[in-house]
């Protein structure tokens, strides 16, 4: 049997060319595919193309659930593709770390050669040599001519550099800067081809003078068959001392060999809107004397100029009097402006070239032998950035892509206030009452947070046209991605309760319009409020201040959202339903941010995330509900992204975190429920267990880890055995056995338990593995949460306290209605949705008011009452209610919100 699954480009149109290949992920219905080796990729004409496939996750029956797929570079990408399943006709597997890969064609191929000293990867078009250890990421990058097959080294000695500043110029104190270079300590080939090779490097920055080491890093290079560009993922962990260490520069540096005459060396630097600075190191245009039109046109086009004997002698005999421009710099110190300048040599003044708004973060240096280019994704969004070319008039230039510009103010990660005398839990709880900030001394520490950047390295055999460079710059800033359709994803049965966008009736269209409005509003707020910067890009704010006409960026727990009430889930379900590229990019940026910056990757809080705060790491609540894989696995499965896989792997043993940090230590009334000295830990059945369940489920699917499987299935059984099931609120967890004490008899309900991924995970688990007692416990929770106090008391002996976020919890009632086929519960779900949204149900909430100066710096849109919490939960409740009971009411008279 052959199945065809259509795959299209995320941005609608195919890229002008696919210089570096692409990778994506896609699911398969349970029981339909035995393994990734059964998959093939066809282009729009139905021809099989060179592809590589590998497993990402399996269903409990062992069949393939998610696969990663990769296709190589091509100058003519197909308008669309399809993935076929050919049972019994598997292609010969290729070596792959973690599973087999299949390839339809064998040419061109990526080859990997490993020795004790180095790893060499060849795409057929270029070759990269990576030493096993030392200060260089790669020693040489060679580009082969498609005509002569001669090779030219276009870049060498790639390396990481950083600058550490001690002290800030805040008074009479002096400051010093010290240089560091990244030292590679291990190199691992994660994939060997034939279509894609992935090489992971790990190391630390080491002082150029001295013995200090800091800033652990992970780098992955992605090389595809036939590629002339290489994807580079750089992840950094902050391990400095916030009070004394100030990062003054972070970059990736390359040496670029040059041989041609200065007038045949070319510099290209991208500005805004696809424009480029187009210059030669020694310019032949604009002179008082004309070398000849052929000379001028050749230089501007980046082509070899005619021999100097064919020039006008008025120029050729005076070449030594034309300045050569040795150094170039572009600085993007904010989201709103860049500056370009150049100079002839160190010790001489800089000359301004131009300025603009937002550079796409791409630069090239080339001569007649070839060239080297670098593009930094999200360059202006992640400011302050900088691009440097030094020594363009010498035999070996240096190009540096600064991920943190040395011309910006040094990075200051100190906590933003002195504690305000909050030395005890009682005082800290008082602070929570006024600024919503959960402060605790020593907990506003950034040590262990991370940041990931994506770069693309381009190798050229000649200076390309500016049109070609513009396409390359676009591909670096907005990488081409293939994706299945919402209809296919839904039919595969992944990610629980959702359905594709449906505008088939006026009532449904109105609800879809409201979902679109909320996304468009937040997308616009990111731009209007400038939610950009090295540590900030990807996050949104928590709550609005309508008096000041700003978000509460400076008020305790009301500032950065840090995944509070699951905006990550809202955005990913918006994407699953719609397939919209702008939704995907927004969700992608949030996933990159929240998974790196809002979570600790080393130290005592490793695997925990920080609750919302003025600074992303400022809150003392370090919890699994922020680091949960429930927020990250969408991106991992849809893109097969290895870095996100790292973040998921970090959390496998996250139940151990309860030994070192009680998440409710400040308010726990019963110390007997938390006894880490005996391995007995009080674990909440809402945000805590939901996060653990997401961790164990994801690990079990990805790796088959029996520890994760047994703890997931065991605790599910234990919850089902509790007298009051999920209503118990918390149970004693045996860390060694990975099981709950099922003898606890108590009722404790929190309005937060089900709004951090628990709803989505429980729905998936019930459809994934049979456990009648667990399902009944969850259905009881869903039935009773919004039931009348009388109904609650009749079933469990008392009414439930702590019932808030009615609109958000309407999807629990909807779930019970769908499972029990109950019209009464369906009616209650829609009524609760309509009544419970205090801030989002009135019509004015879906209109914008334009605020003008002098009340704001520049015009901005304002909604009457805005909270990310309300928005995310409104979106999730509406999406899931539509999927579960959208047709349960008579006709299409779905109650409007």
């Amino acid at each position: 049997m052959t199945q065809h699954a259509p795959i299209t480009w995320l941005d609608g149109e195919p890229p002008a060319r696919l210089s570096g290949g692409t990778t994506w992920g896609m699911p398969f219905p349970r029981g339909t595919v035995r393994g990734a080796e059964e998959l093939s990729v066809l282009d729009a004409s139905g021809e099989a193309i060179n592809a590589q496939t590998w497993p990402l996750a399996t269903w409990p029956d062992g069949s393939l659930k998610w696969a990663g797929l990769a296709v190589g570079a091509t100058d003519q990408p197909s308008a669309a593709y399809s993935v076929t399943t050919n049972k019994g006709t598997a292609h010969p597997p290729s070596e792959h770390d973690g599973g087999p890969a299949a390839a339809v064609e064998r040419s061109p191929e990526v080859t990997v050669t490993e020795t004790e000293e180095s790893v060499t990867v060849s795409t057929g078009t270029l070759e990269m040599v990576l030493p096993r250890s030392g200060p260089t990421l790669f020693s040489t990058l060679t580009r082969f001519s498609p005509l002569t097959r001669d090779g030219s080294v276009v870049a060498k000695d790639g390396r990481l550099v950083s600058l550490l500043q001690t002290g800030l110029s805040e008074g009479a104190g002096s400051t010093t800067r010290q240089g560091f270079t990244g030292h590679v300590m291990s190199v691992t080939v994660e994939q060997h081809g034939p279509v894609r090779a992935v090489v992971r490097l790990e190391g630390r920055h080491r002082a150029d003078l001295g013995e200090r080491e800091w800033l652990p890093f992970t780098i992955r290079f992605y090389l595809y068959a036939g590629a002339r560009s290489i994807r580079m993922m750089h992840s950094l962990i902050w391990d400095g001392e916030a009070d004394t260490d100030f990062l003054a520069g972070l970059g990736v540096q390359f040496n670029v060999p040059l041989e041609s005459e200065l007038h045949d060396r070319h510099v290209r630097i991208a500005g805004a809107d696809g424009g480029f600075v187009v210059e030669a190191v020694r310019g032949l245009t604009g002179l008082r004397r004309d070398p000849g039109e052929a000379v001028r046109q050749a230089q501007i086009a980046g082509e070899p100029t005619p021999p100097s004997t064919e020039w006008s002698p008025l120029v050729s005999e005076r070449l030594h009097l034309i300045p050569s421009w040795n150094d170039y710099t572009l600085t993007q110190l904010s989201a709103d402006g860049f500056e370009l300048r150049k100079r002839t040599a160190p010790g001489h003044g800089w000359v301004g070239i131009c300025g603009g708004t937002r550079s796409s973060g791409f630069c090239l240096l080339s001569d007649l032998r070839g060239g080297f280019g670098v593009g930094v994704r999200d360059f202006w969004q992640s400011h302050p950035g900088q691009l440097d070319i030094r020594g363009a008039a010498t035999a070996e230039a240096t190009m540096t892509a600064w991920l943190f510009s040395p011309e910006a103010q040094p990075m200051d990660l100190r906590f933003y206030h002195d504690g305000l005398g909050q030395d005890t839990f009682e005082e800290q709880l008082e602070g929570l009452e006024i600024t919503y900030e959960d402060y605790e001394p020593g907990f506003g520490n950034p040590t262990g947070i991370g940041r990931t950047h994506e770069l693309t390295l381009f190798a050229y055999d000649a200076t390309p046209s500016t049109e070609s460079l513009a396409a390359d710059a676009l591909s670096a800033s907005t990488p081409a991605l293939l994706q299945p359709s919402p209809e296919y994803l839904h039919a595969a049965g992944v990610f629980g309760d959702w359905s594709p966008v449906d505008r088939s009736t006026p009532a449904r269209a109105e609800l879809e319009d409201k979902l679109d409005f909320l996304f468009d509003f937040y997308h616009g707020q990111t731009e209007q409020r400038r939610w950009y910067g090295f540590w900030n890009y990807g996050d949104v704010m928590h709550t609005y201040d309508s008096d000041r006409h700003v978000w509460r960026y400076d008020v305790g727990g009301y500032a950065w959202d840090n995944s509070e009430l699951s905006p990550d889930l809202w955005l990913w379900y918006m994407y699953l339903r719609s397939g919209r590229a702008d939704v995907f990019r927004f969700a992608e940026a949030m996933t990159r941010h929240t998974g790196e910056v809002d979570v600790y990757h080393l130290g005592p809080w490793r695997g925990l995330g920080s609750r919302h705060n003025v600074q992303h790491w400022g809150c003392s609540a370090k919890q699994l509900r922020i680091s949960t894989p429930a927020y990250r696995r969408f991106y991992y499965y849809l893109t097969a992204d290895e870095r996100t896989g790292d973040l998921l792997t970090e959390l496998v043993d996250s139940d151990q975190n309860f030994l070192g940090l009680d998440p409710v230590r400040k308010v726990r009334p019963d110390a007997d429920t938390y006894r880490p000295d005996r391995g007995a830990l009080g674990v909440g059945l809402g945000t805590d267990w939901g996060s653990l369940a997401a961790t164990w489920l994801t690990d079990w699917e990805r790796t088959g880890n029996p520890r994760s499987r047994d703890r997931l299935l065991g605790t599910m059984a234990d919850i089902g055995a509790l007298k009051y099931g999920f209503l118990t609120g918390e149970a004693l967890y045996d860390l060694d056995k990975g099981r709950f004490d099922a003898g606890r008899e108590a009722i404790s309900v929190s309005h937060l338990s089900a709004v951090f991924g628990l709803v989505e995970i429980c729905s998936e688990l019930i459809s994934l593995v049979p456990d009648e007692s667990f399902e009944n416990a969850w259905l009881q929770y869903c039935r009773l949460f919004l039931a009348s106090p009388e109904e609650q008391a009749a079933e469990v002996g008392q009414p439930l306290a702590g019932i808030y976020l009615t609109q958000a919890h309407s999807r629990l009632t909807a779930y019970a209605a769908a499972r029990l086929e109950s019209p009464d519960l369906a009616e209650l779900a829609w009524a609760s949705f309509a009544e419970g949204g205090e801030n989002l149900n009135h019509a004015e909430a879906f209109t914008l008011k334009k605020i003008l100066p002098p009340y704001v710096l520049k015009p901005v849109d304002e909604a009457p009452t805005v909270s990310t919490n309300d928005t995310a939960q409104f979106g999730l409740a509406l999406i899931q209610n539509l999927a579960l009971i959208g047709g349960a009411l008579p006709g299409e008279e779905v109650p409007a919100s």
Side-chain angles (χ1 to χ4, degrees):
M1 180 179 69
T2 300
Q3 300 175 344
H4 291 263
I7 308 296
T8 57
W9 295 101
L10 174 64
D11 295 295
E13 297 295 325
R17 61 173 169 266
L18 197 60
S19 69
T22 190
T23 295
W24 74 99
M26 62 183 298
F28 300 89
R30 187 184 337 208
T32 61
V33 181
R34 291 174 301 181
E37 68 277 2
E38 296 182 359
L39 305 177
S40 301
V41 178
L42 309 182
D43 63 17
S45 67
E47 293 295 322
I49 66 170
N50 202 19
Q52 184 169 314
T53 65
W54 61 97
L56 296 177
T58 57
W59 295 96
D61 64 3
S63 62
L64 186 68
K65 185 174 186 179
W66 284 90
L69 301 97
V71 296
T74 176
D75 288 335
Q76 295 181 321
S78 179
Y81 296 87
S82 63
V83 175
T84 66
T85 305
N86 300 299
K87 292 186 177 181
T89 59
H91 301 286
S94 171
E95 185 178 5
H96 165 255
D97 185 8
V104 175
E105 302 173 3
R106 289 301 183 188
S107 180
E109 291 187 357
V110 173
T111 60
V112 179
T113 304
E114 298 190 65
T115 68
E116 292 184 1
E117 293 76 26
S118 64
V119 173
T120 300
V121 185
S122 174
T123 71
T125 307
L126 52 82
E127 179 182 88
M128 176 179 275
V129 179
L130 304 97
R132 290 284 187 183
S133 62
T136 58
L137 308 176
F138 64 85
S139 56
T140 57
L141 176 61
T142 303
R143 166 74 187 209
F144 295 98
S145 169
L147 298 177
T148 66
R149 304 304 300 164
D150 294 332
S152 296
V153 174
V154 297
K156 56 192 296 188
D157 299 334
R159 57 200 177 275
L160 296 179
V161 293
S162 60
L163 296 171
L164 170 63
Q165 180 166 312
T166 55
L168 292 177
S169 301
E170 297 179 324
S174 61
T175 64
T176 60
R177 286 190 174 186
Q178 183 179 14
F180 286 72
T181 302
H183 277 250
V184 175
M185 299 176 180
S186 69
V187 176
T188 305
V189 178
E190 293 184 320
Q191 279 193 333
H192 293 254
V195 173
R196 186 179 91 142
V198 182
V199 185
R200 185 182 76 240
L201 289 66
E202 295 178 286
R204 297 175 62 85
H205 285 244
R206 185 177 300 170
D208 297 337
L209 297 174
E211 297 181 355
R212 180 171 177 180
E213 294 184 352
W214 75 325
L215 301 181
F217 63 84
T218 299
I219 286 177
R220 281 184 172 90
F221 289 111
Y222 295 83
L223 299 96
Y224 291 76
R228 58 176 182 78
S229 67
I230 299 170
R231 183 172 178 240
M232 174 182 174
M233 294 292 293
H234 167 268
S235 299
L236 181 85
I237 308 300
W238 173 267
D239 66 345
E241 295 292 334
D243 290 336
T244 57
D245 294 337
F246 303 93
L247 186 66
L250 174 68
V252 191
Q253 199 166 81
F254 314 90
N255 290 354
V256 182
L258 298 166
E259 292 182 0
S260 301
E261 297 288 344
L262 299 184
H263 51 266
D264 281 326
R265 300 182 183 188
H266 300 279
V267 173
R268 304 287 188 265
I269 302 177
D273 303 320
F276 274 81
V277 166
V278 178
E279 294 206 356
V281 172
R282 175 180 284 155
L284 301 176
T285 65
L287 300 173
R288 187 178 184 187
R289 304 304 178 192
D290 185 3
E293 183 177 0
V295 177
R296 289 185 284 106
Q297 293 303 319
Q299 187 178 68
I300 291 299
E303 299 172 353
T305 56
S308 59
T309 55
E310 299 178 13
W311 304 7
S312 166
L314 297 177
V315 176
S316 62
E317 293 176 0
R318 295 186 175 97
L319 271 179
H320 62 288
L321 298 176
I322 303 174
S324 58
W325 298 96
N326 194 64
D327 302 335
Y328 289 77
T329 286
L330 181 146
T331 55
Q332 180 89 52
L333 303 185
S334 76
D336 292 308
F338 68 83
E339 180 186 25
L340 258 168
R341 62 185 189 270
K342 64 182 180 179
R343 68 181 179 184
T344 57
H348 296 276
W350 290 92
V351 174
I353 299 176
C354 66
T357 52
R358 293 167 171 176
S359 167
S360 61
F362 180 96
C363 66
L364 161 84
L365 181 60
S366 63
D367 66 3
L368 300 183
R369 298 170 58 253
F372 179 69
V374 177
V376 181
R377 189 177 183 189
D378 298 327
F379 181 71
W380 61 264
Q381 295 94 327
S382 300
H383 66 81
Q386 183 169 322
L387 300 173
D388 284 349
I389 294 174
R390 298 289 184 267
T394 68
E396 190 165 282
T398 300
M399 183 184 293
T400 307
W402 292 100
L403 309 177
F404 190 90
S405 168
E407 296 193 18
Q409 289 293 314
M411 186 184 291
D412 187 353
L413 303 185
R414 295 173 295 179
F415 194 67
Y416 78 101
H417 66 67
D418 64 2
L420 308 174
Q422 300 175 72
D423 298 323
T424 66
F425 284 173
E426 290 74 19
E427 292 167 326
Q428 292 156 27
L429 293 173
E430 282 296 299
L432 194 67
E433 288 296 319
I434 186 64
T435 64
Y436 201 29
E437 178 172 61
D438 194 352
Y439 172 81
E440 189 171 338
F443 277 70
N445 187 345
T447 298
I449 66 173
R451 182 69 167 86
T452 287
H453 291 83
E454 182 175 345
L455 302 89
T456 306
L457 315 182
F458 293 86
Y460 300 98
D461 60 359
T463 301
S465 68
T466 51
E467 293 80 7
S468 177
L469 282 178
D472 286 344
L474 178 62
S475 71
S477 62
T478 311
L481 179 66
L482 290 164
Q483 285 286 277
S485 66
E487 291 74 19
Y488 175 84
L489 290 168
H490 182 253
V494 292
F495 297 134
D497 303 315
W498 62 278
S499 57
V501 169
D502 182 359
R503 295 180 172 275
S504 59
T505 69
R508 290 175 181 269
E510 180 183 357
L511 295 178
E512 299 290 357
D513 287 344
K514 293 182 176 182
L515 286 170
D516 287 348
F517 172 90
L518 291 174
F519 170 77
D520 293 341
F521 174 72
Y522 272 84
H523 191 266
Q525 287 293 286
T526 294
E527 169 62 12
Q528 292 184 1
R529 307 290 177 169
R530 298 303 192 265
W531 290 338
Y532 302 120
F534 188 96
W535 292 114
N536 296 333
Y537 179 57
D539 209 349
V540 296
M541 286 281 175
H542 186 288
T543 302
Y544 197 70
D545 184 340
S546 57
D547 295 315
R548 286 188 291 168
H549 305 295
V550 296
W551 292 79
R552 302 183 202 179
Y553 67 94
D554 58 349
V555 183
Y558 288 111
W560 291 113
D561 189 72
N562 285 35
S563 296
E564 180 71 4
L565 268 67
S566 306
D568 318 60
L569 290 179
W570 162 53
L571 291 172
W572 281 119
Y573 280 110
M574 281 285 293
Y575 169 70
L576 292 176
R577 302 183 72 243
S578 67
R580 286 173 55 175
D582 55 349
V583 178
F584 182 95
R585 306 291 185 193
F586 200 75
E588 177 183 35
M590 180 173 287
T591 299
R592 285 280 186 222
H593 169 90
T594 57
E596 300 279 9
V597 180
D598 298 344
V599 176
Y600 290 93
H601 309 280
L602 54 78
W605 303 320
R606 182 179 185 272
L608 298 175
S610 292
R611 179 180 169 272
H612 40 102
N613 192 262
V614 171
Q615 291 169 300
H616 299 284
W617 51 86
C619 186
S620 73
K622 313 297 186 185
Q623 296 183 339
L624 292 176
R625 76 186 203 192
I626 307 302
S627 60
T628 173
Y631 299 151
R632 258 53 90 185
R633 63 197 188 113
F634 295 88
Y635 186 66
Y636 173 74
Y637 286 135
L638 290 168
T639 65
D641 177 66
E642 279 80 6
R643 175 56 188 170
T644 307
D646 291 345
L647 303 182
L648 298 175
T649 300
E650 285 180 2
L651 299 169
V652 170
D653 297 324
S654 55
D655 53 351
Q656 301 281 340
N657 289 310
F658 288 91
L659 279 173
L661 190 67
D662 179 5
V664 291
R665 60 195 175 280
K666 298 182 183 181
V667 295
R668 184 178 294 282
D670 181 5
D672 286 340
T673 62
Y674 189 77
R675 300 196 298 266
D677 57 321
R678 306 179 199 175
L681 310 170
V683 172
L685 302 182
T687 60
D688 292 338
W689 183 81
S691 300
L692 290 172
T695 300
W696 294 328
L697 171 61
T698 305
D699 186 50
W700 178 27
E701 290 183 328
R702 290 180 64 208
T703 70
N705 185 352
R707 179 185 186 276
S708 294
R709 177 201 61 205
D710 293 347
R711 291 183 180 235
L712 175 65
L713 300 181
T715 53
M716 287 174 63
D718 296 336
I719 291 172
L722 286 165
K723 180 177 181 179
Y724 298 111
F726 278 96
L727 298 175
T728 310
E730 182 182 77
L732 210 58
Y733 178 70
D734 188 315
L735 187 59
D736 294 330
K737 297 178 180 178
R739 299 296 296 266
F740 284 128
D741 178 356
R744 184 172 172 82
E745 295 186 11
I747 295 177
S748 177
V749 176
S750 168
H751 66 292
L752 295 179
S753 292
V755 291
F756 285 86
L758 182 68
V759 172
E760 293 74 18
I761 290 299
C762 284
S763 174
E764 285 197 52
L765 289 175
I766 288 172
S767 67
L768 197 67
V769 290
D771 187 322
E772 184 178 358
S773 296
F774 177 83
E775 181 177 358
N776 290 336
W778 180 240
L779 282 172
Q780 179 190 52
Y781 189 81
C782 292
R783 283 188 297 102
L784 293 183
F785 195 91
L786 294 183
S788 68
E790 294 76 17
E791 291 173 303
Q792 294 168 348
E795 183 159 340
V796 296
Q798 66 183 67
L800 305 179
I803 305 299
Y804 303 102
L805 298 177
T806 304
Q807 186 176 71
H809 286 88
S810 68
R811 65 189 194 271
L812 275 71
T813 310
Y815 181 84
R819 297 291 291 189
L820 300 173
E821 299 181 350
S822 168
D824 291 340
L825 285 174
E827 183 177 357
L828 175 61
W830 280 121
S832 299
F833 178 83
E835 296 171 3
E838 294 83 0
N839 297 329
L840 283 171
N841 283 328
H842 50 88
E844 291 79 7
F846 295 93
T847 60
L848 294 178
K849 178 181 179 182
K850 184 71 71 174
I851 307 299
L852 303 174
Y855 302 102
V856 290
L857 291 174
K858 54 187 174 182
V860 294
D861 292 327
E862 179 179 280
T865 305
V866 179
S867 163
T868 297
N869 300 336
D870 291 335
T871 299
Q873 289 300 310
F874 172 92
L876 285 168
L878 182 50
I879 287 169
Q880 291 165 1
N881 288 357
L882 284 171
L884 290 163
I885 57 169
L889 296 176
E892 283 298 326
E893 297 177 359
V894 180
S897 58

